C-alpha cells in the first residue's frame, strides 16, 4: 500500500494537492478538516462540538479525530492506500495512526511536508475566505492563531517521521501544477 501523510501549515495546499494525488495514484483521501466540516453541515453533536474549536483556529480534541480516522480505515479495507490530509496534527495522533495502521497490517510510507512562506499562507486563506464561507478563513487573527497552533503543536510531528526516516520536505511555493510535479517526483522516487 501507498500511505502518504501530506503535511504543512494551514493554507499550504494539502487539500488542493490531495485531490490530484488521489486521482493519479488511486488512493483514498482522508481529510480530517473535510470530515469535520461534513459533521458541521449535517448538524451532528460531533459537528457542534468541533465547531467551537475550529471557529477559533484551535485543534479539535485528539480522541475525536482519531476515532474518525479509525472508522474510515475500517470502511476502506480494500484500498490501495491513503492520503492523510491534515492528520496527524499532534504526536498523540501520529502514535495512534501508527497503531491503527499496524492493526490493518500496513504502515505510513512517507510524510511529504509542503514548505510555504507565511505571507503566502495568509494571502491564500483570506482569498479562499472570500467565497468559501469558512469562518476560520475570514479573520486575520484566527488565521494567525491557526499558524501559531501549527508551529507549537503540529510542527513537532515532523520529528516523529524524521526518526522513522520517512520525512520529505517539498517546496510548496509556485503554481498548483509545479507543486504537484514535485510531489509526484518524490513519490515515484520512494
Ligand atoms: P483543514 O481543513 O485541514 O484546513 P487547512 O489546513 O486550512 O487546509 P489546507 O491546507 O488543506 O488548505 P489548502 O492549502 O489546500 O483544518 C481546518 C480546521 O479543522 C483546523 O484548524 C482544526 O480546527 C480542525 N482539524 C482538522 N484536522 C484536525 C486534526 N487532525 N486534529 C485536530 N483538529 C483538526 O488551501 C488553501 C487555499 O489555498 C485554497 O483556496 C487553495 O485554492 C489555495 N491554494 C492551494 N495551493 C495554491 C497555490 N499553489 N497557489 C495559490 N493558491 C493555492
Amino acid at each position: 500500500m501507498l500511505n502518504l501523510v501530506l503535511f504543512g501549515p494551514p493554507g499550504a495546499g494539502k487539500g488542493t494537492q490531495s485531490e490530484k494525488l488521489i486521482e493519479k495514484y488511486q488512493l483514498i483521501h482522508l481529510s480530517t478538516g473535510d470530515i469535520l466540516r461534513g459533521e458541521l453541515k449535517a448538524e451532528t453533536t460531533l459537528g457542534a462540538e468541533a465547531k467551537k474549536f475550529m471557529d477559533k483556529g484551535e485543534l479539535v480534541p485528539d480522541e475525536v479525530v482519531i476515532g474518525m480516522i479509525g472508522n474510515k480505515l475500517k470502511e476502506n479495507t480494500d484500498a490501495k492506500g491513503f492520503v492523510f490530509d491534515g492528520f496527524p496534527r499532534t504526536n498523540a495522533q501520529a502514535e495512534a495512526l501508527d497503531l491503527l495502521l499496524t492493526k490493518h497490517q500496513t504502515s505510513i510510507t512517507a510524510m511529504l511536508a509542503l514548505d510555504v512562506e507565511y505571507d503566502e499562507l495568509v494571502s491564500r486563506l483570506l482569498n479562499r475566505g472570500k467565497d468559501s464561507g469558512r469562518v476560520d478563513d475570514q479573520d486575520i487573527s484566527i488565521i494567525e492563531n491557526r499558524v501559531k497552533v501549527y508551529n507549537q503543536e503540529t510542527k513537532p510531528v515532523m520529528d516523529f517521521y524524521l526518526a522513522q526516516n520517512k520525512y520529505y520536505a517539498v517546496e510548496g511555493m509556485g503554481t498548483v501544477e509545479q507543486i504537484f510535479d514535485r510531489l509526484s517526483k518524490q513519490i515515484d522516487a520512494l
Side-chain angles (χ1 to χ4, degrees), residues 19-190:
E19 293 295 337
K20 298 175 75 65
L21 290 172
I22 57 161
E23 200 188 322
K24 177 162 182 179
Y25 295 97
Q26 298 291 297
L27 306 171
I28 303 276
H29 183 192
L30 292 184
S31 158
T32 38
D34 285 352
I35 302 169
L36 289 166
R37 279 185 291 277
E39 296 282 341
L40 242 83
K41 213 171 159 200
E43 298 182 347
T44 63
T45 315
L46 193 158
E49 184 58 23
K51 186 172 164 46
K52 293 182 204 158
F53 298 92
M54 294 171 81
D55 284 358
K56 286 188 282 189
E58 302 287 340
L59 294 182
V60 172
D62 285 337
E63 59 274 21
V64 175
V65 284
I66 291 167
M68 286 178 350
I69 289 288
N71 289 339
K72 292 286 174 191
L73 290 178
K74 272 190 225 152
E75 286 168 19
N76 291 286
T77 45
D78 54 351
K80 286 187 183 172
F82 296 91
V83 175
F84 295 95
D85 161 10
F87 181 90
R89 260 175 156 99
T90 62
N91 276 327
Q93 292 179 20
E95 281 162 21
L97 180 60
D98 266 10
L99 277 176
L100 282 168
L101 291 175
T102 305
K103 273 191 207 154
H104 290 268
Q105 277 105 39
T106 186
S107 59
I108 290 298
T109 315
M111 166 186 265
L112 304 167
L114 292 168
D115 206 0
V116 178
E117 288 164 17
Y118 176 77
D119 289 349
E120 173 70 10
L121 298 175
V122 175
S123 133
R124 286 183 193 177
L125 293 175
L126 286 174
N127 209 19
R128 182 171 65 185
K130 283 183 197 149
D131 42 32
S132 71
R134 275 179 63 171
V135 176
D136 62 344
D137 279 347
Q138 290 171 14
D139 181 318
I140 184 77
S141 64
I142 299 174
I143 292 176
E144 279 167 0
N145 192 43
R146 287 161 68 193
V147 175
K148 190 179 108 198
V149 168
Y150 169 79
N151 285 326
Q152 287 176 351
E153 299 182 47
T154 303
K155 216 171 167 193
V157 175
M158 71 169 61
D159 294 330
F160 183 89
Y161 292 96
L162 260 173
Q164 297 184 12
N165 286 321
K166 291 179 177 175
Y167 174 85
Y168 301 89
V170 175
E171 171 62 60
M173 299 286 288
T175 67
V176 170
E177 284 308 323
Q178 284 170 333
I179 300 160
F180 181 60
D181 196 48
R182 288 177 205 136
L183 286 168
S184 299
K185 284 199 175 110
Q186 184 59 70
I187 293 166
D188 294 342
L190 287 171

